[in-house]
Amino acid sequence: QLVFQKALKESKIAKTAKLTTLRHSFAVHSLENGIAITHLQKILGHSNIQTTSFYAPFAKTELNKIRSPYEDLISN
């Protein structure tokens, strides 16, 4: 926590943040980048998927940018 607070101060970011802010950001960005919520659940160490689902509403995922596995097959 002290290392994080020092880095935050040195970066001159005026926003209040804690280590949990990094965890939250990681979870949301992971979902936005298409990681399966079940994989994220394991990474975060949640025993209940509902705990991980908390992050889903914060993810700004555009449905038209989600690729089908079929698209990967035909593009190769």
Side-chain angles (χ1 to χ4, degrees), residues 1-8:
Q1 183 71 28
L2 293 175
V3 171
F4 176 71
Q5 290 301 325
K6 182 180 178 192
L8 191 63

Side-chain angles (χ1 to χ4, degrees), residues 5 22 32 58:
Q5 290 301 325
L22 291 179
E32 288 176 342
F58 298 100

